[in-house]
Amino acid sequence: MSKINVAILGATGMIGQRFVQMLEDHPYFEIEGLYASERSNGKRLSEVLKVRDHVYLDETLDREIETMDISKISKNCRIAFSGIPSDLAGPTETELAQAGVGVFTNAGSHRMDADVPILIPEVNPAHLDSVKDQKTFANGGFIVTNANCSSTGIAAPLAAMNDAFGLKQVFISTYQALSGAGYPGVPSLDAVGNVVPFIKGEEEKMESELAKMLGTYDNGAFNFAGFKVMANCARVPVIDGHLESLVIDMEAQPTLEELERCLVEYRGEPQKYNLPSAPEQPIIVRHEDNRPQPVFDAMAGKPARAKGMAVTVGRLRQSNGYYKMFAMSHNTLRGGAGGSVLNAELAKAKGLI
Ligand SMILES: NC(=O)c1ccc[n+]([C@@H]2O[C@H](COP(=O)([O-])OP(=O)(O)OC[C@H]3O[C@@H](n4cnc5c(N)ncnc54)[C@H](OP(=O)(O)O)[C@@H]3O)[C@@H](O)[C@H]2O)c1
């Protein structure tokens, strides 16, 4: 089977380098080019490395970064994986889709567009149908987004509980890693030994994106889920992995055993199609009193290609009719590049590319 040519946009950034990690030896996709701004033109990947916990292939480290060139990308690539800033991503991704490229993006600019899905393959695979309604794009071009990194991590547990027991309200507090702010991100003097209880736009994004993701796509329109989401977001001095505290009000009152079973048995289309980057078990439940933790659980997920793609949940409790738990996921893998790669694998399985 010949591989599909793909471009990586923002290849010098936190998300872009996770794309390179996930795609350097991918069974379906071949990296055609690594693109960033003019500032990075001609540098080798080895000179601009940001990811420290992955050993890249020598030939990958030797590849040159090029200035982003929409006409070259649209001529040579069926897919662009995007990890560029939102203000630039809006027009760039539209232009690529108009030129016939399938865009899988981490940027926020198109997430709330009326015909663009925020796709999490386990949770809302039917939302991929909206791509066929993106009439402004030609020659097979389209845009598929994934959610912001804090919404992605809890989307699967919330979907599992919503399907089984009906969600009424969800109160969320986040403890978000520094890599979520991109590179170089939060100044070190603000971050070290500190917690910053503000991440611009994050709470609003969580409240709107979760409702879109957990809603339905019928007759050419997204119908938003009806449960309430209230979020407080904070940045903590952790490198990778967002921890989130959840207090949940549900229609039904399952026992904790029933709740745990619904989480650990949750599966979706990525597992059915056995997609290369799909975790065998998308939600892992831990029983230790002090888990999940970023240092132990950010890289959860099997097989090896799906490391960092599972969500870990722990400290399941019931109190005054509410359910309490912590959830944790890797923000630049499951919540970033890995999510987009899984979206593209699902799109291929469904014959869209
Ligand atoms: N970090 C996360 O956990 C996370 C999670 C989900 C979504 N996202 C979203 O993903 C996107 C990338 O985030 P990030 O954290 O990877 O940011 P980042 O580390 O700041 O990387 C930004 C990338 O964009 C490139 N870029 C900037 N200006 C450009 C231009 N004019 N032309 C071409 N390329 C340009 C940069 O290249 P140069 O090095 O050449 O400047 C760099 O490669 C953002 O939209 C972000 O909101 C991030």
Side-chain angles (χ1 to χ4, degrees):
M1 182 182 69
S2 67
K3 292 195 188 182
I4 298 165
N5 269 357
V6 305
I8 298 177
L9 316 184
T12 56
M14 295 310 302
I15 293 293
Q17 303 214 338
R18 292 296 188 185
F19 273 130
V20 181
Q21 169 182 342
M22 304 273 314
L23 294 167
E24 64 176 349
D25 60 349
H26 194 279
Y28 305 166
F29 306 125
E30 185 74 38
I31 300 174
E32 180 269 346
L34 305 181
Y35 297 93
S37 77
E38 273 178 30
R39 294 178 287 276
S40 308
N41 191 41
K43 292 185 178 159
R44 308 231 170 246
L45 187 68
S46 56
E47 296 173 68
V48 290
L49 261 194
K50 312 279 181 343
V51 169
R52 313 164 196 192
D53 56 11
H54 174 73
V55 181
Y56 292 90
L57 302 172
D58 287 343
E59 57 266 36
T60 308
L61 290 170
D62 217 29
R63 290 188 76 138
E64 266 187 32
I65 311 291
E66 298 170 59
T67 305
M68 195 167 65
D69 176 344
I70 294 181
S71 60
K72 176 174 180 270
I73 295 167
S74 43
K75 192 161 141 246
N76 295 342
C77 300
R78 175 69 187 96
I79 290 176
F81 288 104
S82 173
I84 53 178
S86 276
D87 53 347
L88 176 67
T92 303
E93 293 168 358
T94 299
E95 218 179 311
L96 283 166
Q98 278 167 345
V101 177
V103 178
F104 292 89
T105 180
N106 279 255
S109 10
H110 290 287
R111 284 185 197 138
M112 300 312 281
D113 290 3
D115 51 4
V116 172
I118 306 177
L119 190 67
I120 303 223
E122 285 91 346
V123 170
N124 59 10
H127 288 205
L128 203 49
D129 291 344
S130 62
V131 162
K132 295 175 197 144
D133 296 327
Q134 294 179 5
K135 305 287 186 223
T136 50
F137 304 141
N139 307 318
F142 59 80
I143 298 176
V144 170
T145 70
N146 46 356
N148 78 320
C149 40
S150 48
S151 306
T152 310
I154 52 173
L158 290 182
M161 290 185 274
N162 195 35
D163 292 351
F165 311 118
L167 295 179
K168 281 165 45 181
Q169 310 182 79
V170 184
F171 303 90
I172 308 163
S173 301
T174 70
Y175 308 76
Q176 297 183 220
L178 296 170
S179 59
Y183 194 91
V186 185
S188 57
L189 286 178
D190 290 343
V192 176
N194 197 18
V195 174
V196 182
F198 177 63
I199 302 175
K200 194 165 189 279
E202 194 79 351
E203 290 152 5
E204 295 80 357
K205 279 189 219 164
M206 291 194 81
E207 292 168 9
S208 57
E209 291 176 14
L210 279 164
K212 182 172 179 182
M213 276 190 282
L214 269 67
T216 57
Y217 186 74
D218 296 315
N219 301 318
F222 289 101
N223 306 297
F224 285 44
F227 60 86
K228 283 192 197 133
V229 176
M230 276 147 288
N232 273 310
C233 296
R235 187 76 70 193
V236 297
V238 161
I239 294 174
D240 286 319
H242 291 352
L243 182 68
E244 303 185 40
S245 133
L246 305 177
V247 177
I248 303 161
D249 184 12
M250 298 198 270
E251 307 279 355
Q253 290 281 304
T255 64
L256 290 178
E257 290 71 27
E258 288 167 334
L259 182 60
E260 176 169 344
R261 200 175 324 121
C262 124
L263 295 170
V264 297
E265 290 179 358
Y266 189 71
R267 300 288 184 277
E269 296 206 359
Q271 289 72 37
K272 183 178 111 193
Y273 288 115
N274 202 14
L275 298 178
S277 307
E280 287 160 12
Q281 185 177 328
I283 305 171
I284 293 166
V285 176
R286 303 225 50 120
H287 297 114
E288 299 88 336
D289 285 341
N290 61 355
R291 299 281 284 276
Q293 290 184 26
V295 290
F296 294 125
D297 300 304
M299 279 298 185
K302 286 182 191 157
R305 183 173 288 287
K307 269 169 77 171
M309 292 294 285
V311 178
T312 305
V313 173
R315 303 207 54 225
L316 260 52
R317 287 150 294 148
Q318 194 172 10
S319 165
N320 297 317
Y322 291 81
Y323 293 84
K324 302 198 285 185
M325 63 187 72
F326 280 88
M328 119 126 267
S329 67
H330 198 297
N331 52 297
T332 57
L333 286 167
R334 181 78 220 204
S340 279
V341 171
L342 192 60
N343 288 348
E345 291 171 2
L346 182 73
K348 182 178 176 298
K350 287 183 168 280
L352 222 94
I353 43 178

